[in-house]
Amino acid sequence: MPMLGVGTFDHADYDTCYENVQQALDVGYRHIDTTEQVEAYYNEEAVGDAVAASSVDRESLFVATKVPPADLDQSGVRRSAEESLDRLGMEYVDLLYVHWPTGKYDPVETFDAFAALREEGLIEEIGVSNFTVDLLKEAIDVADAPIFANQVEMHPLLPQEDLREFCSRDDVDVELVVYSPIARGDVEHVTELQEVARKHGATPEQVSLAWLREKNVTAIPRATTEDHLRENWLSLALELDDEDMAKLDAIKERERVVNRDDAPWN
Ligand SMILES: NC(=O)c1ccc[n+]([C@@H]2O[C@H](COP(=O)([O-])OP(=O)(O)OC[C@H]3O[C@@H](n4cnc5c(N)ncnc54)[C@H](OP(=O)(O)O)[C@@H]3O)[C@@H](O)[C@H]2O)c1
């Protein structure tokens, strides 16, 4: 799984998402995070069409999508996954996530259905999203197939120490994939990020992405402009030193940009 991907949620329409994915592939991104169809967002169709029109081989891409809470029962998982593949125009996805552990989520039933899709080759890996340590422990206990990744919010204002420590244990070994990795732009206003950015001739957003890479997690920033896509890609060349990491780790301010009443941490 490439450690820097691109998020595609919340584009205004099909055309902007299509163009954004084309630009991302041109810049060099090979990990695309998309999501089930929510209301009028047609991002899976746009992602699939942009990939099909590009010269990038499907095998060199890592494509992830999700199953919504309302479809987490046995038949819903299958229907949702098949509809996603249909919209993407792909034979498989590299990673399929449980989007939120709510709604019809039932650990045994949900992961049985995911395991069946994996057996059939419709998905390569099973993921979860917005899982706490306790929910992840339960998932690992009941699932027959391995849980490959947990997608959660993380940035220097929400360092997710407990989850990181748990996921990196040898007997757990779950990848963290990070959404809202630049706190939707809010990292720009944090003094410590500004200072480290100035030192390296970089931007606070690039510093946040480099900090995540130092923490061994995968980030999927969303960027609708080509300049932002490139700027985020160039964070791969930014090396933070121990002094930078210590300064960023010492940030006391906390912020969570994605929250909802039924989130498991509330
Ligand atoms: N699993 C989940 O429950 C969940 C929840 C939320 C998000 N996600 C996924 O995570 C992806 C990313 O998260 P996100 O969209 O919440 O937050 P994000 O990536 O932290 O922030 C996106 C915002 O930051 C701006 N931006 C991007 N690069 C920038 C740069 N270099 N300098 C300044 N501003 C920059 C973008 O503006 P422009 O558009 O103008 O470039 C956009 O407004 C989503 O697309 C989605 O795929 C998953």
Side-chain angles (χ1 to χ4, degrees):
M1 175 169 65
M3 281 189 89
L4 184 65
V6 64
T8 59
F9 186 64
D10 212 13
H11 283 287
D13 52 37
Y14 172 96
D15 290 342
T16 53
C17 184
Y18 180 94
E19 195 186 338
N20 184 242
V21 175
Q22 270 192 327
Q23 288 170 345
L25 293 171
D26 286 347
V27 169
Y29 292 86
R30 293 294 178 264
H31 174 170
I32 304 172
D33 184 82
T34 181
T35 196
E36 74 276 3
Q37 188 161 328
V38 184
E39 293 163 3
Y41 298 119
Y42 294 95
N43 59 342
E44 283 178 328
E45 283 171 17
V47 166
D49 290 349
V51 166
S54 83
S55 58
V56 179
D57 293 340
R58 171 69 186 91
E59 296 74 49
S60 55
L61 276 181
F62 189 93
V63 179
T65 193
K66 312 183 184 90
V67 178
D71 287 338
L72 289 170
D73 56 335
Q74 189 91 27
S75 58
V77 167
R78 176 163 295 271
R79 193 189 61 253
S80 176
E82 285 176 350
E83 286 173 2
S84 285
L85 288 172
D86 199 39
R87 283 190 294 270
L88 285 162
M90 293 178 185
E91 288 175 3
Y92 69 96
V93 285
D94 298 272
L95 177 57
L96 184 70
Y97 293 100
V98 171
H99 202 155
W100 287 88
T102 54
K104 292 190 181 156
Y105 175 64
D106 172 88
V108 174
E109 188 176 342
T110 302
F111 291 118
D112 275 358
F114 270 66
L117 296 175
R118 187 168 179 265
E119 287 266 300
E120 291 165 44
L122 298 183
I123 69 175
E124 290 278 319
E125 301 287 359
I126 297 171
V128 296
S129 179
N130 298 301
F131 274 44
T132 56
V133 168
D134 285 346
L135 281 163
L136 202 47
K137 275 184 189 156
E138 179 188 46
I140 291 166
D141 277 351
V142 306
D144 289 334
I147 305 291
F148 175 76
N150 184 18
Q151 184 178 127
V152 295
E153 177 177 343
M154 179 174 157
H155 39 71
L157 306 178
L158 189 68
Q160 298 281 19
E161 276 126 350
D162 292 350
L163 258 179
R164 269 194 289 129
E165 195 194 325
F166 179 69
C167 289
S168 64
R169 272 170 38 179
D170 285 345
D171 59 336
V172 174
D173 194 23
V174 171
E175 300 277 343
L176 275 184
V177 176
V178 169
Y179 70 72
S180 310
I182 56 173
R184 297 202 168 148
D186 286 354
V187 293
E188 206 173 289
H189 312 294
V190 181
T191 311
E192 291 85 344
L193 281 129
Q194 291 169 345
E195 286 172 0
V196 175
R198 214 171 298 125
K199 171 176 157 187
H200 291 279
T203 65
E205 287 81 2
Q206 289 176 318
V207 170
S208 190
L209 296 172
W211 176 85
L212 288 163
R213 201 176 67 245
E214 287 292 329
K215 301 287 181 194
N216 278 320
V217 301
T218 295
I220 48 162
R222 176 171 57 97
T224 55
T225 67
E226 199 168 355
D227 284 351
H228 285 163
L229 278 173
R230 279 189 200 287
E231 182 178 317
N232 296 343
W233 185 250
L234 289 173
S235 71
L236 291 170
L238 173 59
E239 300 272 351
L240 300 181
D241 60 29
D242 292 349
E243 185 193 22
D244 302 329
M245 290 304 285
K247 180 178 275 198
L248 298 169
D249 288 343
I251 292 173
K252 293 275 180 295
E253 191 182 336
R254 289 290 171 261
E255 181 184 328
R256 190 188 274 281
V257 298
V258 175
N259 213 345
R260 40 194 258 185
D261 290 344
D262 63 352
W265 51 82
N266 284 325

